[in-house]
């Protein structure tokens, strides 16, 4: 059996309507909470940083690289956004990035956009921030950098595995 990694963006038709609607509901709830928490936590000076972070992540995610089986992959910025901005602002940044990719570049489908935002925005931000938070009190900068890299890698792998399971259902 030949295994080819699934693309991270889930296309329309891969998930049934019920699963798509469940992910839309989960995503709407998580983004609503993120909006509420971000409004309380960030000041006016930090909001432009979210826009700059979104632009950087959007540009970085547009760079595709070949992976096994003739498919391509790209960077995910959820861990970076969550570590720099906090998990809630990171979710909002990634929601904007994934939505623009889906609407303008047709990466994934509209029906499954809730699953794509959950997969590449919410999941990666929470895993990345959670792992980084474990060592955030440490004075060791090398440890922090290593854990940030590991958090980014693990959140990308988690998003890929989740996408693979969803695509096979």
């Amino acid at each position: 059996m030949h295994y080819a990694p699934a693309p991270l963006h889930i296309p329309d038709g891969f998930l049934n309507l019920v699963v798509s609607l469940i992910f839309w509901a989960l995503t709407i709830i998580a983004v609503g909470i993120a909006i509420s928490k971000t409004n309380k936590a960030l000041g006016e000076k930090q909001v432009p940083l979210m826009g700059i972070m979104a632009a950087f992540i959007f540009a970085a995610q547009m760079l595709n690289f070949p992976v096994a089986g003739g498919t391509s992959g790209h960077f995910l910025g959820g861990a970076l956004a969550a570590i720099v901005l906090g998990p809630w602002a990171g979710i909002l940044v990634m929601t904007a990035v994934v939505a623009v990719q889906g609407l303008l570049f047709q990466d994934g489908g509209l029906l499954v956009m809730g699953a794509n935002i959950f997969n590449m925005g919410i999941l990666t931000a929470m895993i990345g921030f959670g792992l980084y938070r474990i060592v955030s009190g440490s004075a060791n900068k090398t440890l922090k950098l290593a854990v940030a890299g590991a958090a980014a890698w693990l959140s990308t792998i988690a998003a890929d595995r989740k996408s693979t399971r969803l695509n096979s259902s």
Side-chain angles (χ1 to χ4, degrees), residues 28-154:
I28 289 168
I29 291 167
V31 170
I33 293 169
I35 290 170
S36 174
K37 299 274 188 181
T38 301
N39 280 337
K40 294 175 186 173
L42 291 184
E44 287 182 25
K45 291 184 177 183
Q46 294 164 316
V47 173
L49 182 58
M50 290 174 64
I52 293 168
M53 181 65 71
F56 173 76
I57 290 171
F58 181 81
Q61 285 189 185
M62 294 305 288
L63 301 173
N64 291 324
F65 49 88
V67 293
T71 62
S72 65
H74 64 77
F75 298 107
L76 290 177
L80 174 65
I83 290 168
V84 172
L85 302 170
W88 304 113
I91 287 172
L92 295 180
V93 164
M94 291 306 297
T95 297
V97 168
V98 174
V100 168
Q101 286 178 329
L103 295 172
L104 294 182
F105 296 100
Q106 299 175 352
D107 288 341
L110 292 177
L111 185 61
V112 294
M113 188 178 292
N116 280 322
I117 291 170
F118 186 87
N119 193 26
M120 292 183 286
I122 297 166
L123 187 67
T124 59
M126 288 304 190
I127 290 173
F129 183 79
L131 288 176
Y132 186 74
R133 179 87 172 143
I134 293 170
V135 296
S136 64
S138 172
N140 187 338
K141 301 239 186 251
T142 305
L143 176 64
K144 285 183 178 181
L145 185 60
V147 171
W153 175 80
L154 185 59

